[in-house]
Amino acid sequence: AGSKSVDEVAWYTETTNDSGAKEVGGLKANDLGLYDMSGNVYEWCQDWYGTYPGGIAIDPQGPATGSGRVIRGGDWDGSAGGCRSAVRIYGYPGNRNYGVGFRVVLAPGQP
């Protein structure tokens, strides 16, 4: 997500040596100046998991309801390929998983 070198910007099995999630900012920022947008922990997304509509779509939304939520971005014990933002898998909201979390974002100028 924003870099040509996954090893420089993402915590995954090769960069963590399977030693668990890491503190944010331990690797380089991506080309957009953001840290840890790939790897470390999968990110819970708002969308329900399901098939996308056919054809070209900008910011496609999943189905209106479902049982699994989309998770993206890879985690510390996954592969480099799983860190691609295009990779989309699912998790069930009631389940716990050491490799799934969320990212808190603070807009510039906000307290």
Side-chain angles (χ1 to χ4, degrees):
S3 177
K4 293 191 181 353
S5 175
V6 69
D7 289 352
E8 292 182 353
V9 300
W11 293 114
Y12 70 102
T13 193
E14 296 296 321
T15 54
T16 65
N17 297 314
D18 295 327
S19 61
K22 304 295 182 191
E23 186 173 330
V24 172
L27 295 174
K28 285 184 166 183
N30 67 16
D31 293 345
L32 303 170
L34 303 172
Y35 291 91
D36 296 321
M37 294 305 294
S38 297
N40 213 16
V41 295
Y42 276 101
E43 179 181 354
W44 277 109
C45 298
Q46 179 177 338
D47 295 352
W48 291 106
Y49 186 84
T51 57
Y52 282 154
I56 297 172
I58 296 172
D59 191 20
Q61 302 296 305
T65 63
S67 59
R69 295 278 188 183
V70 172
I71 54 177
R72 292 183 184 265
D75 71 342
W76 62 269
D77 73 342
S79 69
C83 293
R84 293 180 58 235
S85 58
V87 172
R88 183 175 67 105
I89 62 175
Y90 63 89
Y92 298 106
N95 291 353
R96 289 186 187 187
N97 186 313
Y98 57 82
V100 178
F102 60 94
R103 291 179 173 88
V104 177
V105 177
L106 180 63
Q110 299 298 310

